[in-house]
């Protein structure tokens, strides 16, 4: 953990009462900002909070899908907690979303994702990770706009899962949403990270460009 970091939850003190999206602000339980090590080399980016994450206030916790992510983090040495922990003890990894509020009946609109973009931009700028893990097609395509030379429409997370996508200043390692993953796909992601990311000097690709 960064020596100047006081806590894992919302370490950059982002607005917890944001009302930029009235339709979300009126129905959410709470804003779910980023969580983890502010000096991390790895950032995991999902689309928006699940009901479990909204209840705990911590990305990728509170339900079975969150437990799968936390189990993966444990296998990779990023978590020192049990997969079901509501406030996992993380190191060298940061968890966040494109949209920080959950609507109980629908996905975030494009406008709502754009309203949240300054939060994500600020996190990535301040953390400046080596590797970004987009979780799901939407996160992959949104990040592809900024960090790759490929058309966002050319990406399919089911095909890119557990591979490394060379980007502009960063590398992306896409992941199928945890609620849709099989145990074999989970194992493939862990194996790729261990054998193809950790085993080489991924730091040489680290970028210094802001979004």
């Amino acid at each position: 953990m960064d020596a100047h970091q006081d806590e894992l939850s919302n370490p950059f003190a982002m607005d917890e009462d944001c009302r930029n999206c009235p339709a979300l602000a009126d129905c959410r339980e709470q804003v779910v900002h980023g969580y983890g090590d502010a000096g991390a080399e790895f950032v995991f980016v999902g689309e928006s909070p699940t009901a479990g994450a909204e209840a705990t206030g911590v990305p990728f916790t509170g339900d079975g899908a969150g437990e799968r992510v936390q189990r993966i983090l444990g296998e990779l040495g990023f978590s020192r907690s049990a997969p079901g922990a509501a406030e996992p003890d993380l190191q060298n990894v940061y968890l966040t979303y494109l949209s920080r509020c959950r609507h109980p009946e629908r996905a975030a609109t494009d406008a709502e994702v754009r309203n949240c973009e300054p939060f994500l931009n600020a996190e990535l700028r301040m953390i400046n990770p080596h590797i970004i893990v987009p979780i799901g097609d939407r996160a992959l395509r949104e990040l592809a706009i900024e960090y790759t030379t490929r058309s966002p429409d050319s990406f399919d997370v089911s095909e890119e899962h557990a591979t490394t996508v060379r980007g502009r200043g960063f590398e992306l390692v896409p992941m199928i949403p945890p609620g849709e993953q099989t145990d074999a796909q989970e194992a493939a992601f862990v194996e790729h990270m261990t054998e193809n990311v950790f085993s080489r000097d991924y730091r040489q690709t680290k970028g210094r460009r802001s979004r």
Side-chain angles (χ1 to χ4, degrees):
M1 185 185 300
D2 186 278
H4 303 292
Q5 182 174 356
D6 295 325
E7 56 185 33
L8 294 170
S9 182
N10 192 14
F12 302 114
M14 294 181 171
D15 185 3
E16 296 180 354
D17 192 36
C18 175
R19 300 194 62 85
N20 290 338
C21 304
L24 294 180
D26 289 343
C27 68
R28 73 185 181 214
E29 291 183 17
Q30 61 180 319
V31 180
V32 184
H33 282 302
Y35 180 97
D37 187 345
E41 296 176 309
F42 296 80
V43 172
F44 284 56
V45 182
E47 180 175 341
S48 59
T50 61
E54 183 181 42
T56 63
V58 176
F60 306 107
T61 63
D63 53 24
E67 286 192 17
R68 185 182 289 275
V69 171
Q70 296 301 325
R71 184 168 62 247
I72 289 171
L73 297 180
E75 292 177 12
L76 296 175
F78 293 147
S79 177
R80 294 165 286 197
S81 304
E87 296 183 355
D89 183 9
L90 304 182
Q91 58 183 352
N92 203 26
V93 68
Y94 189 85
L95 312 177
T96 191
Y97 293 118
L98 297 177
S99 174
R100 282 91 198 297
C101 296
R102 173 180 175 269
H103 193 288
E105 299 176 352
R106 60 167 176 80
T109 66
D110 290 343
E112 289 164 349
V113 168
R114 286 195 299 272
N115 285 343
C116 256
E117 195 171 67
F119 291 130
L120 180 60
N121 289 349
E123 287 170 332
L124 294 179
R125 184 175 63 251
M126 290 185 283
I127 296 170
N128 193 21
H130 298 293
I131 306 291
I132 301 175
V133 177
I135 300 178
D137 272 317
R138 194 170 189 182
L140 175 57
R141 290 170 182 169
E142 289 287 339
L143 291 166
I145 293 172
E146 294 291 340
Y147 296 122
T148 78
T149 57
R150 287 171 52 181
S151 165
D153 292 339
S154 72
F155 285 103
D156 183 332
V157 75
S158 62
E159 296 178 1
E160 308 287 349
H161 175 79
T163 67
T164 297
V165 178
R166 298 282 180 174
R168 296 178 298 194
F170 297 92
E171 289 183 338
L172 307 181
V173 182
M175 177 193 286
I176 292 172
E180 301 173 16
Q181 277 185 51
T182 65
D183 289 345
Q185 289 167 333
E186 175 185 326
F189 183 86
V190 171
E191 180 180 7
H192 177 74
M193 290 284 284
T194 303
E195 300 297 326
N196 299 296
V197 178
F198 293 169
S199 64
R200 62 179 174 76
D201 185 13
Y202 55 82
R203 294 169 181 82
Q204 65 183 333
T205 64
K206 184 169 183 176
R208 291 290 172 183
R209 62 188 296 273
S210 61
R211 297 183 72 204

